[in-house]
Amino acid sequence: MTSNVDSIIDRLGGAEAAARLTGVGTEAVRKWRQAGTIPSRHWAAVIAATGLTLSDLPGGTAEPAALDVSEVPAGATAALVLADGAVFWGRGFGAHTAEPAPVGEVCFNTGMTGYQETLTDPSYAGQIITFTFPHIGNVGTNTEDIEAGTVAARGLVVKQDVTEPSNWRAVQHLDGWLRARGIAGLAGVDTRALTVRIRDGGAPTGVLAFPVDGRFDLPALRAQAEVWPGLEGMDLAKEVSCRQSYEWDETRWAWPGRVERQSAPKYHVVAVDYGAKRNILRCLASAGCRVTVVPATATAEDILQRKPDGVFLSNGPGDPAATAEYAVPAIRGVLDAGVPLFGICLGHQLLALALGAKTFKLDRGHRGANQPVQDVATGKVEITSQNHGFAVDPDTLPATAKVTHVSLFDGSNEGLACTDRPAFSVQYHPEASPGPSDSHYLFERFVAMIERCA
């Protein structure tokens, strides 16, 4: 007999115990109760923790659907296996995968340039990136276009085979660059079909397998995808954040390739690193700031004892509701101290949560460098760079916060500002890298706010 969600949570010992025993966040458990169902990706963990069978779960069946285990297509050396059993075959490149193969949420990015910056964006932790632009790798890789020291993404899927680089800045082939970082790629996939699948059905869980011996255990790969809990309830900011504080003074690039330093900063900004991209720090330095970067888990006391003129909340991966457990108290402490505050992406969502609003997971997410956003006050439209799978519910914002920007793709919230204190945020990436520079002015707006409060 099928059990209802409430009885299953009770059997686990309540919401907090359910989250702990199944390895998901309390927000994910809340969403189980709200939806009246448990997503299939959580079934294995629930079964292991309760002793129930698959047929006992809402939506479960006695046996999972059989997986097609036909022979590997000729020339295929790698595959993307989704939790629903779909298999996308192709040619592997980069590093061979170990066992178990990397599993993550499969998303797509519509950017036409900047694949190296995209791959090193910490916001992609826990995700396998499908690039909709077919020519990935054609300009090679270099030592400047990286946004973090490591690759947080769990793999990439592309249409065309990676060619020899044809750019004067290239110092290494993408294949070798990926191998050196232990990241696998899959080429030869109909990325249009995969993108349509994600667009229509939401981001699926998948496993990218590029085994050394060329042997594929498809049932095992599918099972691995099925039991992965997904990004809801998952705090990934701790994984990609810096481990200790450091100073940053490098400014935005002065082409062709000259690096400059901020030698006469006017204000001191503490940047909380939830997965910060380097170009964000460059933009702050270019705006006249001395930048101190602190870990995601920094408390309000840690931040305020540095006597900042302003505080910046960075981008980052994972579910904001999970990161909020330690981030929100710190942010509220900064707000209560009256220190000017600016957040982007995950930082925007965390500011909203600190104000008492709620966030939710988008069906598809926004990832690319061509996202139109409208300024509510002026009507002006900016083309923005974005990478997020969660959004702020504007209907839950308090009366002391107003919506400042909206997406022209789906109408979702893209910015907010407090009316009773010096704080604002945007959902998109004003630093771009890759992407347009339409929104660089927001860093100047932040500095202007600091000046008014000085």
Side-chain angles (χ1 to χ4, degrees):
M1 179 180 177
T2 301
S3 303
N4 62 40
V5 172
D6 286 334
S7 68
I8 291 173
I9 294 173
D10 289 343
R11 183 165 179 158
L12 288 164
E16 291 188 4
R20 184 178 67 257
L21 290 170
T22 58
V24 302
T26 54
E27 179 67 11
V29 175
R30 184 190 66 78
K31 290 174 182 177
W32 294 354
R33 200 190 299 273
Q34 184 180 49
T37 186
I38 298 175
S40 60
R41 60 180 178 270
H42 296 146
W43 287 352
V46 172
I47 289 170
T50 61
L52 296 171
T53 66
L54 188 61
S55 60
D56 295 323
L57 302 183
T61 57
E63 295 293 337
L67 182 65
D68 181 10
V69 291
S70 58
E71 293 184 1
V72 177
T77 60
L80 175 68
V81 182
L82 303 184
D84 64 4
V87 181
F88 290 83
W89 295 101
R91 296 171 292 278
F93 63 98
H96 284 286
T97 55
E99 292 186 8
V103 58
E105 180 181 89
V106 184
C107 63
F108 65 86
N109 182 289
T110 59
M112 296 177 66
T113 61
Y115 55 80
Q116 190 177 357
E117 294 99 316
T118 299
L119 287 167
T120 53
D121 180 351
S123 296
Y124 281 105
Q127 295 180 304
I128 297 170
I129 308 170
T130 302
F131 286 98
T132 61
F133 188 66
H135 304 295
I136 300 299
N138 55 336
V139 296
T141 62
N142 57 61
T143 58
E144 294 88 20
D145 294 344
I146 57 175
E147 293 300 321
T150 59
V151 177
R154 298 187 176 178
L156 66 154
V157 180
V158 301
K159 169 69 173 175
Q160 303 285 1
D161 288 329
V162 179
T163 61
E164 289 297 319
S166 57
N167 185 276
W168 64 275
R169 297 175 65 227
V171 296
Q172 190 175 17
H173 195 289
L174 178 61
D175 179 72
W177 186 84
L178 290 169
R179 276 190 280 111
R181 288 156 178 79
I183 304 299
L186 174 64
V189 170
D190 184 347
T191 52
R192 290 175 299 179
L194 181 55
T195 298
V196 168
R197 188 185 189 96
I198 298 169
R199 182 198 67 189
D200 294 346
T205 297
V207 178
L208 200 165
F210 179 26
V212 175
D213 60 8
R215 297 175 62 87
F216 297 86
D217 185 342
L218 295 185
L221 292 170
R222 179 185 179 181
Q224 184 186 344
E226 286 179 323
V227 301
W228 194 68
L231 295 181
E232 286 189 83
M234 189 175 289
D235 173 29
L236 294 173
K238 286 180 182 177
E239 294 185 12
V240 298
S241 177
C242 60
R243 297 295 182 264
Q244 59 186 21
S245 62
Y246 62 93
E247 300 293 313
W248 181 278
D249 64 358
E250 183 180 297
T251 59
R252 290 203 302 260
W253 297 114
W255 289 99
R258 189 172 73 256
V259 177
E260 294 184 349
R261 304 284 176 179
Q262 176 55 264
S263 58
K266 190 173 181 181
Y267 298 106
H268 178 211
V269 168
V270 170
V272 185
D273 177 15
Y274 303 115
K277 294 169 64 179
R278 291 178 178 175
N279 208 46
I280 292 171
L281 307 180
R282 296 188 190 105
C283 287
L284 288 169
S286 291
C289 301
R290 174 170 71 88
V291 183
T292 301
V293 185
V294 297
T297 54
T299 64
E301 182 181 5
D302 294 333
I303 296 168
L304 296 174
Q305 71 179 358
R306 299 175 186 276
K307 302 188 183 304
D309 299 303
V311 173
F312 178 84
L313 309 177
S314 84
N315 63 297
D319 188 338
T323 304
E325 291 188 14
Y326 55 86
V328 161
I331 295 169
R332 285 176 176 166
V334 171
L335 290 172
D336 291 343
V339 178
L341 188 148
F342 174 32
I344 71 166
C345 198
L346 179 60
H348 163 70
Q349 297 159 2
L350 292 172
L351 173 59
L353 290 169
L355 295 172
K358 297 184 182 301
T359 57
F360 65 96
K361 194 172 192 307
L362 293 164
D363 289 337
R364 300 158 192 83
H366 298 163
R367 298 177 181 88
N370 57 349
Q371 308 273 328
V373 168
Q374 186 171 43
D375 185 316
V376 173
T378 66
K380 180 180 178 181
V381 175
E382 302 168 29
I383 302 303
T384 68
S385 177
Q386 299 197 20
N387 174 21
H388 65 106
F390 293 81
V392 172
D393 181 352
D395 294 334
T396 64
L397 286 170
T400 53
K402 63 180 180 179
V403 172
T404 58
H405 298 78
V406 295
S407 167
L408 293 185
F409 274 163
D410 59 12
S412 60
N413 178 257
E414 292 284 353
L416 67 87
C418 293
T419 58
D420 62 340
R421 61 190 78 192
F424 73 101
S425 60
V426 293
Q427 180 62 78
Y428 48 96
H429 283 243
E431 87 291 342
S433 191
S437 57
D438 296 28
S439 307
H440 278 174
Y441 72 91
L442 289 171
F443 293 96
E444 303 297 336
R445 178 180 291 179
F446 180 40
V447 170
M449 175 182 284
I450 292 174
E451 289 177 345
R452 289 194 300 272
C453 296

